[in-house]
Each structure stands twice: as structure tokens, then as C-alpha cells.
Amino acid sequence: MQQMKFIAMWIIIAQFLTAFVGRSISPLMFYISADLSLNKGQLGFLPTALFIGQFIATLIIGYLADRLSTRKMMVCLMTVVGTGFLSFAWIDNYSLALLFVVLAGMGYGGMHPVTNRFLVNTLPINKVSLLMGVKQMSITLGSAGSSVVLIPLVAYIGWRYTLSVAAVLLLLFSFIIPFVLKTKEDSQSEMATKMPLRQQLRIFFHSKWLFFTNSSAFILMGVQITFNTYIILFLYEIKDWSIYSAGICLAISEISGACGRVLWGIISDKFFNRNRWGVLLIITMLSTIGITLMYFLYIPLV
């Protein structure tokens, strides 16, 4: 039991730090834009590049996680995220910067299936669900933490050094974790499917339920990316908030998102007879109303 808690703790920290670095672009948007003289369109491509990398990697890395050592993959992915953002922090060429953000996004996206598989392979099946939930919340907390911690740090050392410090912290952790988990090497899970990747994709595209559900989630994810990208600039330039207050607002939205994952799961099970489409429709309407009201309402800071 003690070893199980030890393993889970390190995996959760790994996911937290990866999200802390991987989601650091949004709170630093204003400073990146000012330093590199980017317009709003160019700025929007930065988080888009991150999620393009995440989209590319999730399927491929998820497939490989069934077949390779997830512990070693986890170290490689954290190294990719740290190296990608460390390089991005010191590159002035916009196209090359986007390339490194895509690379970092591939590492960030790959961490989700790899850490999930590591927990499934390593821990008793009756202990996995709770830790999976805690691990998912650590992603959101890492994102919220980047808004709270990095923005004040920028005032002292600038966004380049701030992002570099975060990236180096992740790289140092990636060197440490093989030693702290070296007594528990994961093996290939018997749950790994032998079905070829092409056949798995064919099943996905022929299932209307899976296709439309994932398409809906894809659209909502696009809305979330847009919101996270421009919320700080919107509150600072349009609503006259301070940068740090806008960053706190972004952090609150991330934490609320973590709570919403749990809350809507309970609501859908108890009141909608697990009708996910009904819940998805309500979530979409609430998101639309909330963003619209935020635009029209004036909330002065005192």
C-alpha cells in the first residue's frame, strides 16, 4: 500500500509539472505578444500549434503505450515538453517557434495516455479510478498554477527567463523520476489489444456514436482553446483589469473546469439516466451564455 501511494504521488507530480509548463503559453500571452510584436492572429496560432501537436501525439502515443515501457516513454515525453518550451523561449523566428510549440504539444498530449496506462499496469484495478481522477485534476491545477505563479515572476525576470525556469524544472524532474520509480518497471499489459491501428480507426469512423461524440468534444475543445488564448488580453485591454487579476480569472476558470468534470459526471448519472447528449447540450448552452455575458457585463475591479 505504501509503495502504491509512492508511485501514484510521483505520477501525479509528473502530470502536474507537465501541465504547468505545457499550459504556460496562455498566461504569458500578453508578454509574448509585446516582445515578439505579434498580431492577434499570430498569437492565436501559438496555443493552436500546441493542441495540433497534442492531437497528433495522443493517438500514436496511446497506441505505443500498450506495447512499450510506459515509464521510459514518460521520461521521454517530459523531456520533449521541457526542451520544446525551453527552445521556444529563446527563438525569435515565428515559424520556427511554432514548430517547437508543436513538438512540445506532442509531448504534452502523449503524457495523458502514458500515465493512464502506467497506473493501470502498476496498481490494483480497484484502486485505479480514484487516482485517475486525482491525476486528471492535477492537470487542471497545473494549468491554474501557471497563471498564478508565472505572471508575477515575469515582472522580475521577463517571460523568457520565466518560461525557461519552468521548463528546466520539468527537465530536472524528468531526470529524477527514473530513479524514484526504478524498483517498479512496468511491463506490457495483458489488456493491450492486438488489433492493428488501422482496424481500430476503421471501427471509430464507422461508429456514428463515437464519431459525433468526439466531434462535439472537438468543437468544445476549440472554444476552450480560444477562451484560454484571449481571456487575459480581453480582460486587460477591453475590461481594464490588471494582468495578474486576469491571470487569476484564467486560474479560476481552470479550477472550475476541474470541479465541473466531477459535478457533471454526477449530474448525468443521477438525473439524466446517463444521457450524455443531454448533458453535453446543457454544457454547450451554459458555456455560450457565460462567454456572451462576460462580454456585455462590466465588472469593475475595486
Side-chain angles (χ1 to χ4, degrees), residues 33-257:
S33 175
D35 187 33
L36 300 181
S37 300
L38 303 180
N39 58 43
K40 298 297 188 296
Q42 291 174 317
L43 203 59
F45 271 110
L46 291 177
T48 302
L50 178 73
F51 280 93
I52 287 175
Q54 182 178 347
F55 177 79
I56 294 171
T58 300
L59 179 63
I60 300 172
I61 299 300
Y63 181 76
L64 294 176
D66 284 338
R67 291 157 175 79
L68 303 177
S69 166
T70 50
R71 182 169 66 90
K72 294 177 182 178
M73 289 182 67
M74 191 162 40
V75 174
C76 291
L77 292 170
M78 285 190 289
T79 303
V80 168
V81 176
T83 303
F85 276 101
L86 185 60
S87 302
F88 165 72
W90 298 100
I91 291 176
D92 291 324
N93 184 284
Y94 179 71
S95 299
L96 191 58
L98 282 179
L99 180 63
F100 277 102
V101 174
V102 171
L103 179 66
M106 294 178 69
Y108 174 71
M111 278 293 287
H112 303 305
V114 168
T115 51
N116 287 346
R117 174 57 71 185
F118 186 92
L119 291 176
V120 170
N121 288 358
T122 309
L123 305 179
I125 193 64
N126 62 327
K127 302 291 185 181
V128 171
S129 297
L130 176 61
L131 293 175
M132 285 280 195
V134 175
K135 185 187 76 69
Q136 286 300 112
M137 290 190 70
S138 72
I139 299 172
T140 309
L141 292 176
S143 178
S146 65
S147 299
V148 175
V149 175
L150 296 184
I151 291 179
L153 195 58
V154 172
Y156 294 97
I157 60 176
W159 77 267
R160 294 180 187 269
Y161 283 105
T162 297
L163 186 56
S164 297
V165 168
V168 169
L169 179 64
L170 180 62
L171 288 172
L172 291 175
F173 186 82
S174 70
F175 290 126
I176 294 172
I177 201 167
F179 298 99
V180 298
L181 295 180
K182 66 180 179 180
T183 58
K184 189 65 178 180
E185 175 61 77
D186 57 304
S187 58
Q188 181 177 336
S189 172
E190 295 180 358
M191 298 171 60
T193 178
K194 304 299 182 182
M195 189 181 299
L197 179 60
R198 184 174 58 183
Q199 189 173 349
Q200 295 180 51
L201 288 174
R202 188 181 299 116
I203 293 174
F204 169 76
F205 284 110
H206 281 79
S207 171
K208 292 182 179 180
W209 175 259
L210 283 175
F211 180 78
F212 284 108
T213 300
N214 281 276
S215 297
S216 301
F218 183 79
I219 294 172
L220 286 174
M221 179 62 73
V223 174
Q224 181 188 4
I225 295 172
T226 305
F227 179 85
N228 289 345
T229 301
Y230 293 108
I231 180 61
I232 290 182
L233 291 175
F234 171 75
L235 293 176
Y236 177 75
E237 296 180 353
I238 306 300
K239 298 297 184 180
D240 296 323
W241 287 29
S242 69
I243 289 290
Y244 187 68
S245 297
I248 293 296
C249 183
L250 176 60
I252 291 173
S253 73
E254 294 285 4
I255 294 173
S256 299

